[in-house]
Amino acid sequence: MDLLSIFLKGGWVMYFILLCSIIAVAVVIEKFIVLRKAKINVPAFLIKIRTLLKKKDIEGAINFCMQERTPVSNIVRKGLRKFRFGHQRVVEAIESAGRQEIGKLEKGLSTLATISGIAPLLGFLGTVTGMINAFMKIQELQGSVSPADLAGGIWEALITTAFGLIVGIPALAFYNYFVNAINKLVMDIELITNDIIDVLDDTSKHGSTEEDEEEINL
Amino acid sequence: MNKNPRNISYIISIILHAILIVVFAFINFSTGLGEEEYVTIGFGSGISAGTSGPPGQDIGTLQQQPKQEPLKKDEQQKVELPKARTYDEENVITKTDKKNQKDLAKEKIRSLNNNQQKSGGTENSGQGIGGFGFELDFGGKGIRKIYSYILPEYPEGVSKEIDVKLKFTILPDGTVGKIFPLIKADARLEMAAINSLRQWRFEPLPPNAKQVEQTAIITFPYRLQ
């Protein structure tokens, strides 16, 4: 007996589990792609942007962020655009951009969490309905059933639980993995943005003093 | 930027599932029962010696017979005493008693699983209701029941007392596949044994078991009277 015919014996619930599986796999692949793109070499990025900011090359820093095309660089870029409006506006812009980017990163995770909970439950539903069918048949046969008939109905009913768990367990594992990975990324974002805000503070102070000095010199 | 990975991932996911479904169609799921390569053969009681049992008849297996083990020695002794009118006279393939040539000789069947034979192999002997004795030496785990068997006839012009030992494979459908003689002795006796063995029918493997060829060894002791 091949696995496909075993799969089909599970009944209508199996199609819902299959749909869950398709969505879960799609979300997992999408998250892998997004997280791979979002990954950033924190020290390298910080060194580069610090150098540019210390030179007071805000435009250069914005261009560098445009080239990077990661959530961190997007946040920094949005902050730098508000540089001329003062420190408070930069912090606000970074905070709002951060929330946006984290929202983008976490998109789909709730789907994965739902599937990891729903798939086994769908399996249980299939098992319960299968059991009901099996016992109804036994009653129709007036109890004149062999253990083989009984076992047949039961194993067919249990298939849905097995497949539900096969979908649910990896979905839960991937959900936890992604939550962890995104948390790590958020920490990186916080580190970088705090650092950049500090550098911008320093630059603006130094900048103003330098400008004053230049004016005096002139 | 965010829409592209989503579309790509859904397409990849659907393709992966389609491939998985195709793979599922080719994966055979077996329960792991009754699929050992080396098997013991379950003999039936209630079949008169030398006649083919009706197909599908419920046949007792080895597990039902270990209590009769003490009979083994008696039977072996009786085989050597042609004057005594015992069960075993009928169980020997005789040259003289040609009418009863179909009567079952003492059959020795054992599995090829030598490792298990050394460790856990046991010998069983039993006696069917039909009046034949047999000896089973087995070490395999699986059991294939015999549905029908025909005993070899003693060919004319041969006067030898030898044991013809044959190794044979049982195909998944219950028919006998390849037969290899293990002891080279007399070509005619060997041919008679092979020809009869070829007509034996065993219980087919259940559809959900792994469809493998199983191997067993049988000994036909030809005795003169």
Side-chain angles (χ1 to χ4, degrees), chain A residues 1-4 6 18 21-23 25-26 29-30 33-34 69 107 163, chain B residues 1-2 5-6 9-10 12-14 16-17 21 24-25 27-29 207-208:
Chain A
M1 188 176 281
D2 58 81
L3 266 177
L4 186 63
I6 289 176
L18 182 67
S21 172
I22 289 172
I23 295 170
V25 171
I29 293 169
E30 189 195 342
I33 294 170
V34 168
R69 283 184 162 275
K107 204 174 174 185
F163 276 89
Chain B
M1 183 191 159
N2 209 25
R6 169 164 286 190
S9 56
Y10 271 92
I12 292 172
S13 173
I14 288 166
L16 275 178
H17 281 82
I21 286 168
F24 271 18
I27 293 176
N28 277 319
F29 195 79
N208 57 345

PDB file of all heavy atoms in Angstrom, chain A residues 1-4 6 18 21-23 25-26 29-30 33-34 69 107 163, chain B residues 1-2 5-6 9-10 12-14 16-17 21 24-25 27-29 207-208:
ATOM      1  N   MET A   1       0.852  -1.199   0.000  1.00  0.00           N
ATOM      2  CA  MET A   1       0.000   0.000   0.000  1.00  0.00           C
ATOM      3  C   MET A   1       0.889   1.251   0.000  1.00  0.00           C
ATOM      4  O   MET A   1       1.772   1.375   0.839  1.00  0.00           O
ATOM      5  CB  MET A   1      -0.877  -0.019   1.258  1.00  0.00           C
ATOM      6  CG  MET A   1      -1.916   1.076   1.255  1.00  0.00           C
ATOM      7  SD  MET A   1      -2.999   0.959   2.678  1.00  0.00           S
ATOM      8  CE  MET A   1      -4.090  -0.331   2.166  1.00  0.00           C
ATOM      9  N   ASP A   2       0.672   2.124  -0.980  1.00  0.00           N
ATOM     10  CA  ASP A   2       1.538   3.304  -1.035  1.00  0.00           C
ATOM     11  C   ASP A   2       0.992   4.423  -0.143  1.00  0.00           C
ATOM     12  O   ASP A   2      -0.162   4.406   0.279  1.00  0.00           O
ATOM     13  CB  ASP A   2       1.717   3.779  -2.478  1.00  0.00           C
ATOM     14  CG  ASP A   2       0.403   4.093  -3.130  1.00  0.00           C
ATOM     15  OD1 ASP A   2      -0.099   5.184  -2.898  1.00  0.00           O
ATOM     16  OD2 ASP A   2      -0.132   3.221  -3.847  1.00  0.00           O
ATOM     17  N   LEU A   3       1.875   5.372   0.143  1.00  0.00           N
ATOM     18  CA  LEU A   3       1.541   6.439   1.097  1.00  0.00           C
ATOM     19  C   LEU A   3       0.403   7.331   0.596  1.00  0.00           C
ATOM     20  O   LEU A   3      -0.362   7.857   1.390  1.00  0.00           O
ATOM     21  CB  LEU A   3       2.783   7.294   1.353  1.00  0.00           C
ATOM     22  CG  LEU A   3       3.618   6.909   2.556  1.00  0.00           C
ATOM     23  CD1 LEU A   3       4.848   7.781   2.642  1.00  0.00           C
ATOM     24  CD2 LEU A   3       2.823   7.052   3.842  1.00  0.00           C
ATOM     25  N   LEU A   4       0.308   7.469  -0.745  1.00  0.00           N
ATOM     26  CA  LEU A   4      -0.739   8.336  -1.289  1.00  0.00           C
ATOM     27  C   LEU A   4      -2.119   7.770  -0.981  1.00  0.00           C
ATOM     28  O   LEU A   4      -3.024   8.507  -0.574  1.00  0.00           O
ATOM     29  CB  LEU A   4      -0.546   8.497  -2.801  1.00  0.00           C
ATOM     30  CG  LEU A   4      -1.487   9.492  -3.473  1.00  0.00           C
ATOM     31  CD1 LEU A   4      -1.263  10.902  -2.950  1.00  0.00           C
ATOM     32  CD2 LEU A   4      -1.316   9.480  -4.971  1.00  0.00           C
ATOM     33  N   ILE A   6      -2.831   5.819   1.457  1.00  0.00           N
ATOM     34  CA  ILE A   6      -3.015   5.967   2.906  1.00  0.00           C
ATOM     35  C   ILE A   6      -3.481   7.391   3.202  1.00  0.00           C
ATOM     36  O   ILE A   6      -4.399   7.613   3.990  1.00  0.00           O
ATOM     37  CB  ILE A   6      -1.693   5.646   3.655  1.00  0.00           C
ATOM     38  CG1 ILE A   6      -1.416   4.147   3.575  1.00  0.00           C
ATOM     39  CG2 ILE A   6      -1.764   6.085   5.116  1.00  0.00           C
ATOM     40  CD1 ILE A   6      -0.101   3.734   4.184  1.00  0.00           C
ATOM     41  N   LEU A  18      -3.496  19.505   4.202  1.00  0.00           N
ATOM     42  CA  LEU A  18      -2.598  19.751   3.062  1.00  0.00           C
ATOM     43  C   LEU A  18      -2.491  21.260   2.789  1.00  0.00           C
ATOM     44  O   LEU A  18      -1.390  21.782   2.561  1.00  0.00           O
ATOM     45  CB  LEU A  18      -3.123  19.021   1.828  1.00  0.00           C
ATOM     46  CG  LEU A  18      -2.269  19.143   0.558  1.00  0.00           C
ATOM     47  CD1 LEU A  18      -0.939  18.429   0.730  1.00  0.00           C
ATOM     48  CD2 LEU A  18      -2.992  18.586  -0.646  1.00  0.00           C
ATOM     49  N   SER A  21      -0.386  22.825   5.293  1.00  0.00           N
ATOM     50  CA  SER A  21       1.012  22.496   5.016  1.00  0.00           C
ATOM     51  C   SER A  21       1.571  23.411   3.938  1.00  0.00           C
ATOM     52  O   SER A  21       2.694  23.921   4.056  1.00  0.00           O
ATOM     53  CB  SER A  21       1.102  21.025   4.603  1.00  0.00           C
ATOM     54  OG  SER A  21       2.375  20.724   4.150  1.00  0.00           O
ATOM     55  N   ILE A  22       0.762  23.627   2.864  1.00  0.00           N
ATOM     56  CA  ILE A  22       1.223  24.493   1.762  1.00  0.00           C
ATOM     57  C   ILE A  22       1.490  25.903   2.289  1.00  0.00           C
ATOM     58  O   ILE A  22       2.541  26.495   2.018  1.00  0.00           O
ATOM     59  CB  ILE A  22       0.177  24.519   0.619  1.00  0.00           C
ATOM     60  CG1 ILE A  22       0.169  23.160  -0.106  1.00  0.00           C
ATOM     61  CG2 ILE A  22       0.487  25.635  -0.381  1.00  0.00           C
ATOM     62  CD1 ILE A  22      -0.935  22.997  -1.110  1.00  0.00           C
ATOM     63  N   ILE A  23       0.537  26.428   3.082  1.00  0.00           N
ATOM     64  CA  ILE A  23       0.696  27.797   3.611  1.00  0.00           C
ATOM     65  C   ILE A  23       1.914  27.866   4.535  1.00  0.00           C
ATOM     66  O   ILE A  23       2.729  28.786   4.441  1.00  0.00           O
ATOM     67  CB  ILE A  23      -0.587  28.241   4.346  1.00  0.00           C
ATOM     68  CG1 ILE A  23      -1.748  28.352   3.347  1.00  0.00           C
ATOM     69  CG2 ILE A  23      -0.378  29.581   5.050  1.00  0.00           C
ATOM     70  CD1 ILE A  23      -3.109  28.537   3.983  1.00  0.00           C
ATOM     71  N   VAL A  25       4.604  25.971   4.669  1.00  0.00           N
ATOM     72  CA  VAL A  25       5.879  25.884   3.936  1.00  0.00           C
ATOM     73  C   VAL A  25       6.172  27.199   3.228  1.00  0.00           C
ATOM     74  O   VAL A  25       7.313  27.681   3.231  1.00  0.00           O
ATOM     75  CB  VAL A  25       5.862  24.688   2.947  1.00  0.00           C
ATOM     76  CG1 VAL A  25       7.074  24.720   2.042  1.00  0.00           C
ATOM     77  CG2 VAL A  25       5.812  23.379   3.707  1.00  0.00           C
ATOM     78  N   ALA A  26       5.105  27.803   2.634  1.00  0.00           N
ATOM     79  CA  ALA A  26       5.288  29.080   1.933  1.00  0.00           C
ATOM     80  C   ALA A  26       5.769  30.158   2.907  1.00  0.00           C
ATOM     81  O   ALA A  26       6.700  30.910   2.594  1.00  0.00           O
ATOM     82  CB  ALA A  26       3.980  29.496   1.275  1.00  0.00           C
ATOM     83  N   ILE A  29       9.418  29.538   3.832  1.00  0.00           N
ATOM     84  CA  ILE A  29      10.341  29.933   2.755  1.00  0.00           C
ATOM     85  C   ILE A  29      10.449  31.457   2.697  1.00  0.00           C
ATOM     86  O   ILE A  29      11.547  32.019   2.609  1.00  0.00           O
ATOM     87  CB  ILE A  29       9.868  29.362   1.392  1.00  0.00           C
ATOM     88  CG1 ILE A  29       9.971  27.828   1.398  1.00  0.00           C
ATOM     89  CG2 ILE A  29      10.705  29.927   0.247  1.00  0.00           C
ATOM     90  CD1 ILE A  29       9.288  27.163   0.231  1.00  0.00           C
ATOM     91  N   GLU A  30       9.284  32.132   2.775  1.00  0.00           N
ATOM     92  CA  GLU A  30       9.268  33.601   2.706  1.00  0.00           C
ATOM     93  C   GLU A  30      10.097  34.197   3.857  1.00  0.00           C
ATOM     94  O   GLU A  30      10.894  35.117   3.652  1.00  0.00           O
ATOM     95  CB  GLU A  30       7.823  34.085   2.785  1.00  0.00           C
ATOM     96  CG  GLU A  30       7.682  35.559   2.515  1.00  0.00           C
ATOM     97  CD  GLU A  30       6.322  36.086   2.946  1.00  0.00           C
ATOM     98  OE1 GLU A  30       5.395  35.281   3.131  1.00  0.00           O
ATOM     99  OE2 GLU A  30       6.214  37.297   3.133  1.00  0.00           O
ATOM    100  N   ILE A  33      13.741  33.862   3.265  1.00  0.00           N
ATOM    101  CA  ILE A  33      14.230  34.851   2.280  1.00  0.00           C
ATOM    102  C   ILE A  33      14.355  36.229   2.938  1.00  0.00           C
ATOM    103  O   ILE A  33      15.388  36.905   2.819  1.00  0.00           O
ATOM    104  CB  ILE A  33      13.277  34.909   1.049  1.00  0.00           C
ATOM    105  CG1 ILE A  33      13.305  33.586   0.281  1.00  0.00           C
ATOM    106  CG2 ILE A  33      13.668  36.059   0.123  1.00  0.00           C
ATOM    107  CD1 ILE A  33      12.240  33.456  -0.789  1.00  0.00           C
ATOM    108  N   VAL A  34      13.282  36.628   3.661  1.00  0.00           N
ATOM    109  CA  VAL A  34      13.263  37.971   4.267  1.00  0.00           C
ATOM    110  C   VAL A  34      14.376  38.107   5.305  1.00  0.00           C
ATOM    111  O   VAL A  34      15.101  39.113   5.322  1.00  0.00           O
ATOM    112  CB  VAL A  34      11.865  38.232   4.898  1.00  0.00           C
ATOM    113  CG1 VAL A  34      11.890  39.474   5.777  1.00  0.00           C
ATOM    114  CG2 VAL A  34      10.808  38.389   3.816  1.00  0.00           C
ATOM    115  N   ARG A  69      19.975  48.377   1.624  1.00  0.00           N
ATOM    116  CA  ARG A  69      18.624  47.818   1.435  1.00  0.00           C
ATOM    117  C   ARG A  69      18.270  46.732   2.459  1.00  0.00           C
ATOM    118  O   ARG A  69      17.745  45.676   2.141  1.00  0.00           O
ATOM    119  CB  ARG A  69      18.462  47.233   0.025  1.00  0.00           C
ATOM    120  CG  ARG A  69      18.265  48.284  -1.023  1.00  0.00           C
ATOM    121  CD  ARG A  69      18.021  47.662  -2.386  1.00  0.00           C
ATOM    122  NE  ARG A  69      17.427  48.621  -3.296  1.00  0.00           N
ATOM    123  CZ  ARG A  69      16.126  48.854  -3.369  1.00  0.00           C
ATOM    124  NH1 ARG A  69      15.279  48.197  -2.615  1.00  0.00           N
ATOM    125  NH2 ARG A  69      15.648  49.743  -4.219  1.00  0.00           N
ATOM    126  N   LYS A 107       5.625  39.750   9.910  1.00  0.00           N
ATOM    127  CA  LYS A 107       4.464  39.420   9.077  1.00  0.00           C
ATOM    128  C   LYS A 107       4.511  37.928   8.717  1.00  0.00           C
ATOM    129  O   LYS A 107       5.546  37.414   8.298  1.00  0.00           O
ATOM    130  CB  LYS A 107       4.524  40.248   7.799  1.00  0.00           C
ATOM    131  CG  LYS A 107       3.190  40.460   7.147  1.00  0.00           C
ATOM    132  CD  LYS A 107       3.367  41.412   5.986  1.00  0.00           C
ATOM    133  CE  LYS A 107       2.089  41.543   5.213  1.00  0.00           C
ATOM    134  NZ  LYS A 107       2.300  42.369   4.024  1.00  0.00           N
ATOM    135  N   PHE A 163      -0.863  13.003  10.253  1.00  0.00           N
ATOM    136  CA  PHE A 163      -0.501  14.037   9.284  1.00  0.00           C
ATOM    137  C   PHE A 163      -0.628  15.430   9.902  1.00  0.00           C
ATOM    138  O   PHE A 163       0.160  16.324   9.574  1.00  0.00           O
ATOM    139  CB  PHE A 163      -1.341  13.900   8.015  1.00  0.00           C
ATOM    140  CG  PHE A 163      -0.775  12.895   7.053  1.00  0.00           C
ATOM    141  CD1 PHE A 163      -1.130  11.566   7.130  1.00  0.00           C
ATOM    142  CD2 PHE A 163       0.139  13.283   6.088  1.00  0.00           C
ATOM    143  CE1 PHE A 163      -0.594  10.625   6.265  1.00  0.00           C
ATOM    144  CE2 PHE A 163       0.683  12.352   5.220  1.00  0.00           C
ATOM    145  CZ  PHE A 163       0.308  11.020   5.305  1.00  0.00           C
TER     146      PHE A 163
ATOM    147  N   MET B   1       9.000  44.973  -2.894  1.00  0.00           N
ATOM    148  CA  MET B   1      10.096  44.162  -2.347  1.00  0.00           C
ATOM    149  C   MET B   1       9.569  42.996  -1.510  1.00  0.00           C
ATOM    150  O   MET B   1      10.052  41.892  -1.552  1.00  0.00           O
ATOM    151  CB  MET B   1      10.982  45.060  -1.480  1.00  0.00           C
ATOM    152  CG  MET B   1      12.193  44.329  -0.923  1.00  0.00           C
ATOM    153  SD  MET B   1      13.016  45.322   0.322  1.00  0.00           S
ATOM    154  CE  MET B   1      13.898  44.068   1.201  1.00  0.00           C
ATOM    155  N   ASN B   2       8.468  43.291  -0.793  1.00  0.00           N
ATOM    156  CA  ASN B   2       7.936  42.265   0.086  1.00  0.00           C
ATOM    157  C   ASN B   2       6.990  41.310  -0.631  1.00  0.00           C
ATOM    158  O   ASN B   2       6.701  40.230  -0.149  1.00  0.00           O
ATOM    159  CB  ASN B   2       7.225  42.934   1.263  1.00  0.00           C
ATOM    160  CG  ASN B   2       7.274  42.070   2.495  1.00  0.00           C
ATOM    161  OD1 ASN B   2       8.175  41.252   2.618  1.00  0.00           O
ATOM    162  ND2 ASN B   2       6.325  42.253   3.388  1.00  0.00           N
ATOM    163  N   PRO B   5       9.032  37.926  -2.606  1.00  0.00           N
ATOM    164  CA  PRO B   5       9.334  36.692  -1.871  1.00  0.00           C
ATOM    165  C   PRO B   5       8.089  35.905  -1.508  1.00  0.00           C
ATOM    166  O   PRO B   5       8.119  34.671  -1.499  1.00  0.00           O
ATOM    167  CB  PRO B   5      10.044  37.181  -0.605  1.00  0.00           C
ATOM    168  CG  PRO B   5      10.129  38.635  -0.675  1.00  0.00           C
ATOM    169  CD  PRO B   5       9.577  39.105  -1.959  1.00  0.00           C
ATOM    170  N   ARG B   6       6.998  36.606  -1.255  1.00  0.00           N
ATOM    171  CA  ARG B   6       5.761  35.890  -0.904  1.00  0.00           C
ATOM    172  C   ARG B   6       5.280  35.042  -2.077  1.00  0.00           C
ATOM    173  O   ARG B   6       4.991  33.850  -1.912  1.00  0.00           O
ATOM    174  CB  ARG B   6       4.690  36.902  -0.492  1.00  0.00           C
ATOM    175  CG  ARG B   6       3.320  36.275  -0.370  1.00  0.00           C
ATOM    176  CD  ARG B   6       2.376  37.134   0.385  1.00  0.00           C
ATOM    177  NE  ARG B   6       2.680  37.121   1.800  1.00  0.00           N
ATOM    178  CZ  ARG B   6       1.889  37.638   2.723  1.00  0.00           C
ATOM    179  NH1 ARG B   6       0.775  38.219   2.365  1.00  0.00           N
ATOM    180  NH2 ARG B   6       2.210  37.584   3.983  1.00  0.00           N
ATOM    181  N   SER B   9       7.644  32.184  -2.669  1.00  0.00           N
ATOM    182  CA  SER B   9       7.568  31.133  -1.650  1.00  0.00           C
ATOM    183  C   SER B   9       6.311  30.291  -1.816  1.00  0.00           C
ATOM    184  O   SER B   9       6.347  29.076  -1.619  1.00  0.00           O
ATOM    185  CB  SER B   9       7.639  31.739  -0.254  1.00  0.00           C
ATOM    186  OG  SER B   9       6.619  32.683  -0.108  1.00  0.00           O
ATOM    187  N   TYR B  10       5.189  30.933  -2.208  1.00  0.00           N
ATOM    188  CA  TYR B  10       3.967  30.134  -2.418  1.00  0.00           C
ATOM    189  C   TYR B  10       4.119  29.201  -3.610  1.00  0.00           C
ATOM    190  O   TYR B  10       3.684  28.045  -3.563  1.00  0.00           O
ATOM    191  CB  TYR B  10       2.749  31.050  -2.593  1.00  0.00           C
ATOM    192  CG  TYR B  10       2.106  31.366  -1.259  1.00  0.00           C
ATOM    193  CD1 TYR B  10       2.471  32.485  -0.530  1.00  0.00           C
ATOM    194  CD2 TYR B  10       1.159  30.504  -0.704  1.00  0.00           C
ATOM    195  CE1 TYR B  10       1.904  32.763   0.708  1.00  0.00           C
ATOM    196  CE2 TYR B  10       0.591  30.760   0.528  1.00  0.00           C
ATOM    197  CZ  TYR B  10       0.958  31.897   1.225  1.00  0.00           C
ATOM    198  OH  TYR B  10       0.408  32.130   2.452  1.00  0.00           O
ATOM    199  N   ILE B  12       6.956  27.961  -4.729  1.00  0.00           N
ATOM    200  CA  ILE B  12       7.877  26.887  -4.318  1.00  0.00           C
ATOM    201  C   ILE B  12       7.144  25.883  -3.430  1.00  0.00           C
ATOM    202  O   ILE B  12       7.288  24.669  -3.593  1.00  0.00           O
ATOM    203  CB  ILE B  12       9.095  27.481  -3.570  1.00  0.00           C
ATOM    204  CG1 ILE B  12       9.957  28.297  -4.522  1.00  0.00           C
ATOM    205  CG2 ILE B  12       9.946  26.370  -2.936  1.00  0.00           C
ATOM    206  CD1 ILE B  12      11.067  29.077  -3.844  1.00  0.00           C
ATOM    207  N   SER B  13       6.319  26.405  -2.528  1.00  0.00           N
ATOM    208  CA  SER B  13       5.597  25.522  -1.612  1.00  0.00           C
ATOM    209  C   SER B  13       4.657  24.578  -2.363  1.00  0.00           C
ATOM    210  O   SER B  13       4.606  23.377  -2.082  1.00  0.00           O
ATOM    211  CB  SER B  13       4.809  26.377  -0.624  1.00  0.00           C
ATOM    212  OG  SER B  13       3.981  25.572   0.154  1.00  0.00           O
ATOM    213  N   ILE B  14       3.931  25.135  -3.336  1.00  0.00           N
ATOM    214  CA  ILE B  14       2.992  24.296  -4.104  1.00  0.00           C
ATOM    215  C   ILE B  14       3.755  23.250  -4.904  1.00  0.00           C
ATOM    216  O   ILE B  14       3.367  22.077  -4.933  1.00  0.00           O
ATOM    217  CB  ILE B  14       2.114  25.182  -5.020  1.00  0.00           C
ATOM    218  CG1 ILE B  14       1.112  25.963  -4.147  1.00  0.00           C
ATOM    219  CG2 ILE B  14       1.358  24.347  -6.045  1.00  0.00           C
ATOM    220  CD1 ILE B  14       0.419  27.101  -4.847  1.00  0.00           C
ATOM    221  N   LEU B  16       6.691  21.994  -4.175  1.00  0.00           N
ATOM    222  CA  LEU B  16       7.206  21.005  -3.216  1.00  0.00           C
ATOM    223  C   LEU B  16       6.141  19.991  -2.832  1.00  0.00           C
ATOM    224  O   LEU B  16       6.402  18.786  -2.758  1.00  0.00           O
ATOM    225  CB  LEU B  16       7.709  21.716  -1.952  1.00  0.00           C
ATOM    226  CG  LEU B  16       9.130  22.244  -1.966  1.00  0.00           C
ATOM    227  CD1 LEU B  16       9.446  22.959  -0.663  1.00  0.00           C
ATOM    228  CD2 LEU B  16      10.120  21.096  -2.162  1.00  0.00           C
ATOM    229  N   HIS B  17       4.920  20.491  -2.596  1.00  0.00           N
ATOM    230  CA  HIS B  17       3.844  19.577  -2.198  1.00  0.00           C
ATOM    231  C   HIS B  17       3.437  18.656  -3.344  1.00  0.00           C
ATOM    232  O   HIS B  17       3.121  17.490  -3.102  1.00  0.00           O
ATOM    233  CB  HIS B  17       2.650  20.362  -1.675  1.00  0.00           C
ATOM    234  CG  HIS B  17       2.846  20.820  -0.268  1.00  0.00           C
ATOM    235  ND1 HIS B  17       3.569  21.946   0.056  1.00  0.00           N
ATOM    236  CD2 HIS B  17       2.471  20.271   0.918  1.00  0.00           C
ATOM    237  CE1 HIS B  17       3.588  22.083   1.357  1.00  0.00           C
ATOM    238  NE2 HIS B  17       2.942  21.083   1.923  1.00  0.00           N
ATOM    239  N   ILE B  21       3.561  14.654  -3.150  1.00  0.00           N
ATOM    240  CA  ILE B  21       2.422  13.769  -3.434  1.00  0.00           C
ATOM    241  C   ILE B  21       2.835  12.687  -4.434  1.00  0.00           C
ATOM    242  O   ILE B  21       2.482  11.515  -4.284  1.00  0.00           O
ATOM    243  CB  ILE B  21       1.220  14.595  -3.948  1.00  0.00           C
ATOM    244  CG1 ILE B  21       0.597  15.350  -2.760  1.00  0.00           C
ATOM    245  CG2 ILE B  21       0.180  13.715  -4.610  1.00  0.00           C
ATOM    246  CD1 ILE B  21      -0.401  16.406  -3.139  1.00  0.00           C
ATOM    247  N   PHE B  24       4.887  10.230  -2.613  1.00  0.00           N
ATOM    248  CA  PHE B  24       4.002   9.405  -1.775  1.00  0.00           C
ATOM    249  C   PHE B  24       3.439   8.230  -2.564  1.00  0.00           C
ATOM    250  O   PHE B  24       3.264   7.142  -2.025  1.00  0.00           O
ATOM    251  CB  PHE B  24       2.838  10.247  -1.256  1.00  0.00           C
ATOM    252  CG  PHE B  24       3.143  10.941   0.049  1.00  0.00           C
ATOM    253  CD1 PHE B  24       4.442  11.092   0.477  1.00  0.00           C
ATOM    254  CD2 PHE B  24       2.120  11.433   0.850  1.00  0.00           C
ATOM    255  CE1 PHE B  24       4.731  11.737   1.664  1.00  0.00           C
ATOM    256  CE2 PHE B  24       2.397  12.068   2.049  1.00  0.00           C
ATOM    257  CZ  PHE B  24       3.708  12.224   2.455  1.00  0.00           C
ATOM    258  N   ALA B  25       3.134   8.485  -3.841  1.00  0.00           N
ATOM    259  CA  ALA B  25       2.534   7.434  -4.667  1.00  0.00           C
ATOM    260  C   ALA B  25       3.507   6.285  -4.885  1.00  0.00           C
ATOM    261  O   ALA B  25       3.087   5.165  -5.191  1.00  0.00           O
ATOM    262  CB  ALA B  25       2.082   8.017  -5.994  1.00  0.00           C
ATOM    263  N   ILE B  27       6.044   5.493  -2.555  1.00  0.00           N
ATOM    264  CA  ILE B  27       6.559   4.929  -1.302  1.00  0.00           C
ATOM    265  C   ILE B  27       5.571   3.890  -0.807  1.00  0.00           C
ATOM    266  O   ILE B  27       4.392   4.178  -0.594  1.00  0.00           O
ATOM    267  CB  ILE B  27       6.762   6.029  -0.237  1.00  0.00           C
ATOM    268  CG1 ILE B  27       7.872   6.973  -0.649  1.00  0.00           C
ATOM    269  CG2 ILE B  27       7.090   5.400   1.114  1.00  0.00           C
ATOM    270  CD1 ILE B  27       8.073   8.147   0.280  1.00  0.00           C
ATOM    271  N   ASN B  28       6.067   2.698  -0.672  1.00  0.00           N
ATOM    272  CA  ASN B  28       5.203   1.644  -0.136  1.00  0.00           C
ATOM    273  C   ASN B  28       5.364   1.582   1.365  1.00  0.00           C
ATOM    274  O   ASN B  28       6.471   1.531   1.885  1.00  0.00           O
ATOM    275  CB  ASN B  28       5.545   0.298  -0.770  1.00  0.00           C
ATOM    276  CG  ASN B  28       4.856   0.142  -2.095  1.00  0.00           C
ATOM    277  OD1 ASN B  28       3.693   0.516  -2.248  1.00  0.00           O
ATOM    278  ND2 ASN B  28       5.572  -0.378  -3.069  1.00  0.00           N
ATOM    279  N   PHE B  29       4.260   1.598   2.013  1.00  0.00           N
ATOM    280  CA  PHE B  29       4.262   1.590   3.474  1.00  0.00           C
ATOM    281  C   PHE B  29       4.020   0.163   3.927  1.00  0.00           C
ATOM    282  O   PHE B  29       3.007  -0.441   3.595  1.00  0.00           O
ATOM    283  CB  PHE B  29       3.148   2.512   3.977  1.00  0.00           C
ATOM    284  CG  PHE B  29       3.281   2.848   5.419  1.00  0.00           C
ATOM    285  CD1 PHE B  29       4.173   3.815   5.836  1.00  0.00           C
ATOM    286  CD2 PHE B  29       2.510   2.190   6.363  1.00  0.00           C
ATOM    287  CE1 PHE B  29       4.297   4.127   7.170  1.00  0.00           C
ATOM    288  CE2 PHE B  29       2.625   2.503   7.696  1.00  0.00           C
ATOM    289  CZ  PHE B  29       3.520   3.470   8.099  1.00  0.00           C
ATOM    290  N   PRO B 207      -1.039  -7.622   1.412  1.00  0.00           N
ATOM    291  CA  PRO B 207      -0.734  -6.525   0.471  1.00  0.00           C
ATOM    292  C   PRO B 207       0.049  -5.372   1.088  1.00  0.00           C
ATOM    293  O   PRO B 207       0.763  -4.678   0.392  1.00  0.00           O
ATOM    294  CB  PRO B 207      -2.118  -6.043   0.033  1.00  0.00           C
ATOM    295  CG  PRO B 207      -3.076  -6.606   1.016  1.00  0.00           C
ATOM    296  CD  PRO B 207      -2.477  -7.857   1.541  1.00  0.00           C
ATOM    297  N   ASN B 208      -0.071  -5.185   2.401  1.00  0.00           N
ATOM    298  CA  ASN B 208       0.643  -4.044   2.999  1.00  0.00           C
ATOM    299  C   ASN B 208       2.024  -4.424   3.515  1.00  0.00           C
ATOM    300  O   ASN B 208       2.713  -3.604   4.087  1.00  0.00           O
ATOM    301  CB  ASN B 208      -0.187  -3.397   4.102  1.00  0.00           C
ATOM    302  CG  ASN B 208      -0.565  -4.368   5.183  1.00  0.00           C
ATOM    303  OD1 ASN B 208      -0.446  -5.565   4.976  1.00  0.00           O
ATOM    304  ND2 ASN B 208      -0.988  -3.869   6.322  1.00  0.00           N
TER     305      ASN B 208
END
